[in-house]
Amino acid sequence: GPAPMDVCTPVEGVGAGGGDVEDKDGPERQACRAAALELFCRCLATVPRPDAVLNLRGAPTVQDEVVDTVLQRVVLLCHHELLCLGIHGDDGGPWRDAALRECAARRSRSVDLSLSILSSFVWQAAPWAPDIPQAEADATQTDACAALGRMRPLLASIVDMASRRGAASGPGGSRALA
């Protein structure tokens, strides 16, 4: 797929260099990403093991290059959408532009769905219980971190950006982080 920064411009038709980016991150692609995330959420709600949906069965390669798992792509997409929302905001900017507000709504939907997927993964991959021996808890946490692979460092940033957005939206705005 396209590199994360290639899809960051939220207004169709205006690229960083003044070029046309409609085919890179227009409303259709944003809606498609949200629909795919919604599908993954529904699948996660029905499967007995999340690794079947999140493609956690190893690191397949294509032409000797490691391919990211679905989970890793969800982390990257969530981080990307939060960055874009932080840059462009969700109120249409100083001009209160309707296209920017619509774009922000699509990005916010993708963030909510991504956080739901990540939450589901965490609860199933590293469940917390007071009666689990510490060594077992450490092992499950290590396995969950390993599943995140190279996207693991983005989690702290995701939590920070999502909690700031939640705090800015008022009481209950951080429910996805709970």
Side-chain angles (χ1 to χ4, degrees):
M5 294 313 292
D6 289 346
V7 296
C8 196
T9 307
V11 180
E12 62 184 70
V14 180
D20 184 13
V21 294
E22 185 173 0
D23 63 327
K24 294 184 180 176
D25 197 28
E28 295 82 15
R29 181 167 281 188
Q30 293 167 356
C32 184
R33 285 194 301 252
L37 290 168
E38 206 168 296
L39 176 65
F40 285 122
C41 285
R42 289 180 182 177
C43 291
L44 282 171
T46 60
V47 297
R49 295 183 45 171
D51 61 339
V53 174
L54 298 175
N55 190 18
L56 301 178
R57 297 185 183 151
T61 60
V62 174
Q63 297 176 358
D64 295 326
E65 287 192 37
V66 177
V67 177
D68 291 337
T69 64
V70 171
L71 176 67
Q72 291 166 338
R73 289 291 177 131
V74 168
V75 171
L76 182 62
L77 177 63
C78 185
H79 190 264
H80 161 75
E81 298 292 20
L82 283 164
L83 281 173
C84 291
L85 284 167
I87 292 168
H88 300 287
D90 56 9
D91 61 356
W95 307 276
R96 306 290 184 239
D97 183 67
L100 281 176
R101 287 194 306 270
E102 291 169 8
C103 179
R106 289 187 299 272
R107 290 190 189 284
S108 292
R109 177 78 177 133
S110 289
V111 167
D112 291 344
L113 292 166
S114 297
L115 290 174
S116 177
I117 291 168
L118 293 174
S119 175
S120 176
F121 165 73
V122 169
W123 280 108
Q124 292 184 31
W128 181 86
D131 56 342
I132 293 179
Q134 189 61 44
E136 186 179 333
D138 290 347
T140 58
Q141 290 170 5
T142 299
D143 291 343
C145 289
L148 293 167
R150 67 189 182 119
M151 301 302 165
R152 182 176 172 211
L154 297 179
L155 283 183
S157 180
I158 288 171
V159 170
D160 179 57
M161 288 186 286
S163 61
R164 288 175 196 245
R165 287 189 54 75
S169 66
S174 297
R175 73 172 172 78
L177 293 176

